[in-house]
Amino acid sequence: MIGYQLKLTLRRIIKDKVFSIINIAGLMIGITSFLILFLHVNNEKSFDKHFTDHQDIYRVISTPVGHDANIWARSLGIVYESVAGIPEVVEATQFSHTPVGTLKINDQIVQQKDIMSVDSSFISMFSVQSLVGDLSEINKPNTVFISEDFAKKYFKNENPIGKTLEVDALQYTQNLGTYEIRGIVKNTHPKTHFQYELLLSQKGALQERFTSLPDRKIQWVYSYIKLQKGAKPSEVASKILAFYNDSELKETRGPKDYQFSLMPLDDIHLKSDYRFELKESSSKINIGLFIMISVVILLISLLNFINLTIAKLIKRARELGLKKSIGAAKIQLIGQVLVDVLIMCSFSILLAFGLVESLKPLINQLFEINFDIYYSEPVVYLSMLGIVLTCLILTALFATFFLFGKTSTIDILAERNNFSGSLILKSLLVGQVCIVIILMSGTFLVNKQINFISNRSLGFDKENVVVLQVKDFSKDPEVFADALRKQSQVKAVGFTSQHFGYPSQSLPLDGLGIDGSAEFVFANYDYLKTMNIQLVESWINPSADTVQGMIINEHLYKKLMERHGSMEALNAYQQTQPLAPDQVRIKFIGVAKDFNYHSAHQVIGDFAFWLDESRNRARFTHVRLNPGNLRSAMTQIETIWKDYYPAQDFNYFFIDDKIAQQYKGEIILSRILSSFSILGILISIIGISALSLFISQQRTKEIGIRKVNGAKVSEVLTMLNKDFIKWVVIAFVIAAPLAYYTMSKWLENFAYKTNLSWWVFALAGLLALGIALLTVSWQSWKAATRNPVEALRYE
């Protein structure tokens, strides 16, 4: 019996090819969109949850009081020492991470990413698994464990155990010597907030540095602890603070007061956006928005699927009524309908999975995410089961209450039913149009805001500036800079230790008589000229060979003048302040016009440049190029680079690209809204077509009677279209305030924002109206131009 029903269903699907293709394709688009967004959200929310007792693991954050806007993911070294005496702490680890280090392997110098220096507690806390070797040997001096990928890349089919590599440079450390490979570990789990290629021992070359950490106010390591079940993180943080306050470290040079907090491991990937994160987090991506859009698109597609299914059922009403009249039970008829729905849903789901798999590279590139489907996870199948059940339940409800529940068999056979005025169906139309208007207005406004912040003056010139990353300071970088300046396409060259948007240093302002701290970066004077940063005040000696001193921005200058009245009074105040043995007094040499060091999410604050010509300031060498052939200019720069730094890879980026990355969340949001607005519109067109077809079919005889009595085609079109115009207007009235509220809340994330222009919502409404009218008019025209005899032949 089941086989017979399946055969009939397949015949019906094949017989009505156009309807079947449209119905399956519409649902497939919705399921594909849902899979991409919903499963990506699920992947993001499941980060680090594969670790044993992940809910009890925390990262310890230490922040100088008053520096809440400059929080680091790294912590003070005293944290590790402090937790040793806290009974609630089951296990603790501290480790360092180098984003890019320099190694020598078989006389080959390589730039290696993700190098960690760890201890045995890291191994157990984060479930590091060994493929070859005993992980306890991480406690031996100068040992290293390598990842699967590293072993395949550099040793291929050779056994690397017992071989050595030279560690030439890590972050802040150089010439660490020879490390012996003692094992191979599994690659980092893809859903982890950090990655490692090399795991170095903390014993040996790095031991002295780790040993000195509790006595120094530097934040070089990451501190993680595992707590007992039921332990309160706030109480543990208070005990760490008490330990610090009682230590000698508090009275050493640097900020005196610190605050300590514990961030749950489960929150790091989605909620932490501190400086020096181990891996780029998803905190800038609005996960809630991903979920909302995925559900909205799926909802539109499900409603369309139901609408089309309903339209098909109306066509089959006489067939179903005939079966009912000869004794078929209601449950049997509904079962036949549900089999049809189940098969089409299954086709849509299978096609959606195939489409997603083929689109994965494009998805990851367009949305800048790491999307994948993990078929071993139950959520994949549960979500698909939910979609199938929703389709079946909604179809069963309609068939039960609308088609069979309130209508007699005679009415069905005589086609006396008229569902065209159903409030439920019209409400579905309003809901679809509302969603389309909100998506379109959101897309317009997000793009408007991105254009606003992109074109807003930052206080410096970001165009045509390439930044070269220098790691070798054994040579005089000024010689390299002079060689660059001789090139015709190079306009200026300047040095800095940090580029715009890169984590800056912190300068306490209590020595200048005001509260708080200022951000500052190390640079040379040519850097200011290279970036076209204007000076509103200058006390630079033009005859000096080397420009040394501090240039502050207008924001900080105004605060200092409010406190002291003049530069002379400020300098006199400085003379009264005691200095530590390794401190020097600030020499102010100028005031720079205010500029945005960070993105438009933040207002301009206190900032300073500490100018000098020391070699380490050339870490980020900025080169301003003349407009024109940038490819030719980069070829010239690379040639000079290879002559001067033959052992270093030619690493560079353009500063405008780096600044654009600060708006990654907004750019991705724009792409998501644009892409899924188009999909929403496409699905809505299918839905509106289904509804207009349904209504025109229900009013076929009415149209025939009107035409027989002299009605023109234009009059019939007007009659059929005016109701849709009314419902689109109602949808706009509902959607406009919702879109306005949502977008106004989103704009609160920016210190500098565009206006909520009325035309954004009006344009979205007009486009929605145009789409609805074009779609409805096509179906209305087909109904209005039919021969009225066909409609009335059975009357």
Side-chain angles (χ1 to χ4, degrees):
M1 186 65 181
I2 296 175
Y4 175 71
Q5 290 296 336
L6 289 174
K7 185 183 295 185
L8 288 179
T9 298
L10 291 174
R11 284 181 179 177
R12 280 193 293 268
I13 292 174
I14 295 171
K15 182 179 179 181
D16 199 346
K17 296 184 181 69
V18 176
F19 167 81
S20 300
I21 291 173
I22 292 175
N23 206 5
I24 291 173
L27 187 57
M28 179 193 68
I29 293 172
I31 294 175
T32 300
S33 305
F34 176 77
L35 281 172
I36 294 169
L37 294 176
F38 178 77
L39 292 184
H40 175 64
V41 168
N42 182 73
N43 290 343
E44 294 290 292
K45 295 180 74 172
S46 62
F47 258 62
D48 298 314
K49 289 184 171 59
H50 57 280
F51 293 129
T52 304
D53 299 325
H54 60 88
Q55 67 277 4
D56 298 320
I57 300 176
Y58 296 83
R59 181 169 68 187
V60 183
I61 303 298
S62 55
T63 308
V65 174
H67 292 63
D68 293 339
N70 189 25
I71 302 176
W72 286 22
R74 298 171 181 167
S75 64
L76 292 173
I78 198 174
V79 168
Y80 185 72
E81 183 180 41
S82 69
V83 298
I86 299 177
E88 293 92 337
V89 177
V90 176
E91 191 173 24
T93 182
Q94 66 175 359
F95 57 89
S96 65
H97 173 260
T98 299
V100 180
T102 305
L103 307 177
K104 186 182 290 184
I105 306 174
N106 298 326
D107 297 326
Q108 177 188 1
I109 296 177
V110 299
Q111 301 296 315
Q112 178 59 47
K113 295 182 178 180
D114 297 318
I115 303 174
M116 285 187 173
S117 180
V118 303
D119 57 11
S120 57
S121 293
F122 177 92
I123 300 294
S124 61
M125 189 181 294
F126 295 114
S127 308
V128 179
Q129 299 182 36
S130 174
L131 296 175
V132 180
D134 184 357
L135 286 170
S136 65
E137 294 191 8
I138 196 69
N139 290 323
K140 294 182 178 180
N142 281 40
T143 56
V144 58
F145 284 78
I146 62 177
S147 69
E148 297 174 77
D149 289 344
F150 187 91
K152 291 176 183 177
K153 182 176 181 180
Y154 292 107
F155 296 99
K156 297 181 172 55
N157 297 324
E158 298 180 34
N159 181 6
I161 308 303
K163 296 183 181 295
T164 61
L165 53 84
E166 299 286 331
V167 181
D168 287 347
L170 299 179
Q171 196 171 33
Y172 312 121
T173 56
Q174 293 182 340
N175 302 321
L176 296 179
T178 303
Y179 278 72
E180 182 182 358
I181 299 173
R182 298 307 306 156
I184 303 174
V185 296
K186 284 189 176 181
N187 292 329
T188 318
H189 194 284
K191 294 185 184 181
T192 305
H193 76 281
F194 56 79
Q195 290 179 315
Y196 49 74
E197 292 285 341
L198 297 179
L199 296 178
L200 303 180
S201 170
Q202 295 179 3
K203 306 293 184 181
L206 287 168
Q207 185 167 350
E208 182 179 352
R209 186 171 181 86
F210 275 93
T211 303
S212 67
L213 286 176
D215 303 320
R216 304 173 64 189
K217 282 182 180 173
I218 63 170
Q219 300 193 158
W220 180 61
V221 290
Y222 300 83
S223 298
Y224 287 72
I225 60 177
K226 182 188 290 187
L227 302 185
Q228 293 178 347
K229 298 290 184 183
K232 295 183 178 180
S234 58
E235 293 181 0
V236 175
S238 298
K239 292 180 179 181
I240 296 174
L241 175 60
F243 185 93
Y244 168 77
N245 287 334
D246 293 338
S247 70
E248 296 180 357
L249 180 65
K250 181 175 182 177
E251 302 306 320
T252 60
R253 184 169 66 90
K256 292 292 186 290
D257 296 317
Y258 274 81
Q259 53 192 9
F260 297 87
S261 61
L262 272 60
M263 169 166 277
L265 178 69
D266 294 349
D267 291 347
I268 291 176
H269 181 65
L270 288 180
K271 298 181 181 179
S272 178
D273 189 26
Y274 300 153
R275 299 190 177 185
F276 299 107
E277 287 288 351
L278 287 164
K279 185 180 179 181
E280 184 178 16
S281 70
S282 292
S283 61
K284 294 180 180 178
I285 308 302
N286 194 324
I287 292 298
L289 187 67
F290 269 73
I291 296 175
M292 183 183 72
I293 294 177
S294 69
V295 172
V296 163
I297 296 296
L298 180 62
L299 180 61
I300 293 176
S301 63
L302 288 177
L303 293 177
N304 286 341
F305 182 82
I306 299 303
N307 281 344
L308 287 168
T309 302
I310 289 172
K312 184 65 175 176
L313 286 177
I314 298 302
K315 285 185 176 181
R316 293 180 56 198
R318 296 186 68 186
E319 171 202 334
L320 296 172
L322 183 61
K323 288 181 178 180
K324 186 177 180 182
S325 68
I326 61 177
K330 186 189 300 184
I331 188 69
Q332 292 176 310
L333 298 177
I334 294 175
Q336 292 179 20
V337 173
L338 294 184
V339 169
D340 292 1
V341 172
L342 178 61
I343 290 178
M344 285 198 288
C345 274
S346 300
F347 278 145
S348 299
I349 290 172
L350 291 175
L351 290 172
F353 274 105
L355 183 59
V356 171
E357 287 292 343
S358 63
L359 290 177
K360 273 197 300 190
L362 179 62
I363 294 166
N364 290 329
Q365 181 179 4
L366 180 63
F367 298 146
E368 298 183 40
I369 59 177
N370 295 313
F371 170 74
D372 203 352
I373 300 178
Y374 299 91
Y375 292 98
S376 60
E377 296 182 354
V379 67
V380 176
Y381 308 102
L382 291 175
S383 59
M384 294 303 101
L385 179 61
I387 291 173
V388 172
L389 289 177
T390 302
C391 290
L392 292 176
I393 291 171
L394 291 177
T395 305
L397 288 174
F398 172 80
T400 301
F401 293 104
F402 285 85
L403 193 59
F404 300 127
K406 299 180 181 180
T407 310
S408 67
T409 304
I410 296 175
D411 288 337
I412 295 175
L413 291 172
E415 296 184 340
R416 294 172 184 169
N417 311 302
N418 190 338
F419 300 98
S420 63
S422 171
L423 183 61
I424 293 178
L425 295 179
K426 294 293 180 65
S427 298
L428 295 179
L429 172 64
V430 171
Q432 289 179 353
V433 177
C434 274
I435 293 168
V436 170
I437 291 173
I438 292 173
L439 286 175
M440 286 195 295
S441 58
T443 302
F444 296 150
L445 188 67
V446 169
N447 286 317
K448 187 171 182 279
Q449 172 65 11
I450 291 175
N451 290 332
F452 174 77
I453 57 180
S454 298
N455 297 324
R456 182 180 175 274
S457 175
L458 299 173
F460 60 90
D461 188 357
K462 64 180 180 178
E463 303 299 329
N464 299 322
V465 176
V466 63
V467 181
L468 313 177
Q469 295 182 256
V470 178
K471 299 181 177 67
D472 182 6
F473 301 120
S474 62
K475 299 179 180 181
D476 186 358
E478 190 59 37
V479 178
F480 172 64
D482 286 338
L484 291 176
R485 294 186 184 104
K486 293 177 183 177
Q487 304 305 308
S488 59
Q489 291 177 281
V490 174
K491 188 173 183 179
V493 180
F495 301 152
T496 182
S497 296
Q498 297 99 341
H499 58 76
F500 282 99
Y502 190 86
S504 58
Q505 304 293 322
S506 180
L507 175 69
L509 298 175
D510 51 353
L512 301 178
I514 58 177
D515 296 329
S517 63
E519 292 186 273
F520 80 93
V521 299
F522 296 104
N524 70 348
Y525 182 58
D526 285 340
Y527 171 75
L528 302 184
K529 294 188 290 185
T530 301
M531 299 306 298
N532 290 336
I533 295 174
Q534 304 299 316
L535 298 183
V536 294
E537 296 284 353
S538 177
W539 305 292
I540 298 173
N541 182 0
S543 62
D545 295 331
T546 301
V547 177
Q548 294 179 316
M550 181 169 285
I551 290 181
I552 58 178
N553 68 346
E554 288 180 289
H555 190 273
L556 178 54
Y557 178 68
K558 291 175 182 176
K559 289 174 66 174
L560 290 172
M561 291 302 99
E562 288 176 1
R563 168 66 175 83
H564 298 285
S566 66
M567 290 303 299
E568 291 76 11
L570 171 59
N571 291 327
Y573 178 85
Q574 275 201 91
Q575 297 300 320
T576 65
Q577 302 302 302
L579 291 177
D582 58 345
Q583 286 182 312
V584 296
R585 298 201 187 281
I586 296 175
K587 177 186 177 184
F588 295 99
I589 59 174
V591 179
K593 191 174 181 179
D594 279 339
F595 55 87
N596 270 102
Y597 183 77
H598 299 290
S599 67
H601 296 95
Q602 303 175 24
V603 296
I604 294 174
D606 299 328
F607 198 90
F609 290 107
W610 199 303
L611 302 185
D612 199 350
E613 296 295 338
S614 59
R615 295 187 177 189
N616 58 6
R617 278 164 169 71
R619 179 183 178 192
F620 294 107
T621 298
H622 288 58
V623 183
R624 176 169 295 282
L625 305 175
N626 289 313
N629 192 341
L630 295 182
R631 185 183 298 274
S632 173
M634 293 307 301
T635 301
Q636 294 177 1
I637 292 173
E638 184 175 9
T639 301
I640 299 172
W641 175 277
K642 289 181 177 179
D643 290 339
Y644 201 75
Y645 298 111
Q648 286 191 58
D649 291 338
F650 183 54
N651 295 323
Y652 69 91
F653 58 84
F654 282 88
I655 196 66
D656 55 348
D657 292 337
K658 189 66 69 173
I659 291 173
Q661 288 181 10
Q662 298 181 80
Y663 305 107
K664 178 181 176 181
E666 288 72 36
I667 293 172
I668 293 176
L669 173 60
S670 173
R671 292 173 183 171
I672 290 173
L673 285 174
S674 299
S675 302
F676 290 97
S677 290
I678 294 172
L679 289 178
I681 290 169
L682 177 62
I683 298 172
S684 294
I685 288 173
I686 297 174
I688 293 171
S689 296
L691 188 57
S692 58
L693 173 63
F694 172 74
I695 291 174
S696 62
Q697 287 176 341
Q698 291 288 293
R699 303 179 70 175
T700 299
K701 292 181 176 59
E702 176 190 347
I703 294 170
I705 294 172
R706 288 179 180 273
K707 291 193 67 177
V708 168
N709 287 301
K712 299 178 181 178
V713 172
S714 59
E715 293 173 337
V716 175
L717 284 174
T718 302
M719 176 193 71
L720 294 174
N721 286 0
K722 66 180 181 180
D723 283 342
F724 280 91
I725 295 175
K726 178 178 68 177
W727 290 109
V728 169
V729 171
I730 292 174
F732 176 78
V733 171
I734 296 172
L738 290 175
Y740 181 91
Y741 175 77
T742 303
M743 290 296 99
S744 61
K745 297 297 289 184
W746 177 73
L747 284 175
E748 290 177 2
N749 295 316
F750 297 88
Y752 309 97
K753 49 198 171 188
T754 188
N755 296 322
L756 273 169
S757 305
W758 64 269
W759 62 263
V760 169
F761 308 102
L763 179 60
L766 288 174
L767 285 175
L769 178 61
I771 292 167
L773 284 179
L774 287 174
T775 306
V776 174
S777 296
W778 168 248
Q779 296 292 350
S780 301
W781 182 83
K782 288 170 61 178
T785 54
R786 286 182 62 188
N787 188 340
V789 174
E790 295 180 10
L792 300 174
R793 60 185 172 180
Y794 295 115
E795 292 296 320

